[in-house]
Amino acid sequence: LSPGTPEPTTVDDVRQHTVDSDLNTLDLGLEQRLQELADREAQAEAQAQRLRELFRQEIDDGRVLVGRDRTDVVIQILEKDSFPSGRAELDADSLPTLAKIGTLIHATAGAITVSGHTDNVPIRNGAYRSNWDLSAARAASVAHELLQSGVAPERLMVSGHADTQPRAPNDTAGGRALNRRVDI
């Protein structure tokens, strides 16, 4: 913008609605948006609770975790019985769980992100250059299984995060095991 001479208009005054006429703040619908966000968070928590009940056996077996990230429901496929160490090919034992997840997702609307994660131990085989490659390949393997369950490909986004988003410290075997996962 450059300074210039203002051009006169036919309107002599400008009126704006404020939250409080004594304050200099505009009412931009903040309260309504905050209520909508709280409602969406409550809906996500209710949906996460339903999924925890549906996946009770898988959760008890340590193969799946169900959580919530603000308004998103997150299903975590843990490495246990899902992938051989350092590999991206799914174990046959994990296929029924992924089919169950795919059927549930197919019946919902919205975008689906499939994110692969690893621990911080460098990969030591020739199949993958780094944990980035491994995490992306694992996410892609899960996405392919979801496609087999009828999930539309345009709803899926696949990403690999390596060890950049740990859920637990990588200083114990248990923490590293929690970090090796695929989030849906």
Side-chain angles (χ1 to χ4, degrees):
L1 297 173
S2 62
T5 307
E7 296 180 25
T9 63
T10 57
V11 178
D12 289 334
D13 62 303
V14 176
R15 295 179 187 257
Q16 60 187 13
H17 177 71
T18 61
V19 175
D20 183 337
S21 61
D22 294 332
L23 298 175
N24 192 16
T25 57
L26 295 176
D27 178 6
L28 301 174
L30 179 61
E31 286 183 35
Q32 179 182 352
R33 287 197 311 276
L34 288 174
Q35 184 59 48
E36 289 171 358
L37 178 62
D39 291 344
R40 288 192 352 242
E41 286 177 345
Q43 289 172 350
E45 182 56 39
Q47 186 177 20
Q49 190 57 40
R50 284 191 301 273
L51 289 175
R52 285 183 195 106
E53 293 168 13
L54 287 170
F55 291 104
R56 176 62 42 213
Q57 185 62 48
E58 291 86 352
I59 291 170
D60 290 345
D61 291 345
R63 294 179 294 169
V64 171
L65 291 175
V66 177
R68 183 176 61 86
D69 184 13
R70 300 213 30 121
T71 60
D72 295 330
V73 176
V74 179
I75 301 172
Q76 293 181 0
I77 309 297
L78 302 177
E79 184 185 50
K80 179 183 178 186
D81 299 329
S82 296
F83 297 99
S85 179
R87 309 292 302 169
E89 296 79 26
L90 286 160
D91 283 339
D93 294 342
S94 67
L95 298 180
T97 301
L98 287 171
K100 187 175 177 181
I101 292 169
T103 301
L104 291 170
I105 289 173
H106 178 67
T108 64
I112 300 148
T113 302
V114 182
S115 304
H117 303 270
T118 65
D119 58 23
N120 67 345
V121 177
I123 190 86
R124 300 211 192 280
N125 66 32
Y128 305 100
R129 291 181 295 179
S130 66
N131 281 334
W132 288 98
D133 285 350
L134 177 60
S135 63
R138 286 182 171 181
S141 293
V142 169
H144 283 289
E145 288 304 313
L146 297 177
L147 292 171
Q148 295 298 318
S149 298
V151 175
E154 59 271 7
R155 293 179 61 200
L156 289 173
M157 180 174 67
V158 175
S159 62
H161 298 274
D163 63 340
T164 63
Q165 297 178 3
R167 296 282 186 202
N170 278 304
D171 53 3
T172 66
R176 287 188 297 274
L178 286 174
N179 292 332
R180 295 187 302 264
R181 68 194 189 279
V182 175
D183 294 346
I184 303 171

